[in-house]
Amino acid sequence: MMFTGTLIEDLIATVERVELRTQAEAREMAEVEPWFASGEENPRCDSKLLGVA
């Protein structure tokens, strides 16, 4: 196996890709989160059915 001397650059690029993906997933989750049911909002709902859609 031949090393090209770009290990650190490759690691940094990998971390940057993961950070961007994580940020995108967090934004997407923030958009979807209001749609999730919560037992605190409606105490009359059946807790066994929370999250079922």
Side-chain angles (χ1 to χ4, degrees):
M1 177 179 210
M2 184 173 182
F3 292 104
T4 61
T6 62
L7 178 63
I8 293 175
E9 289 86 1
D10 293 343
L11 289 172
I12 291 171
T14 300
V15 169
E16 289 172 348
R17 284 193 306 272
V18 170
E19 285 179 345
L20 289 174
R21 187 179 331 142
T22 302
Q23 291 170 359
E25 289 173 358
R27 282 191 302 272
E28 183 177 321
M29 194 62 166
E31 292 174 9
V32 176
E33 199 168 335
W35 292 97
F36 290 119
S38 170
E40 296 172 6
E41 294 172 6
N42 188 356
R44 295 177 292 151
C45 69
D46 186 349
S47 64
K48 292 182 289 189
L49 299 176
L50 287 177
V52 176

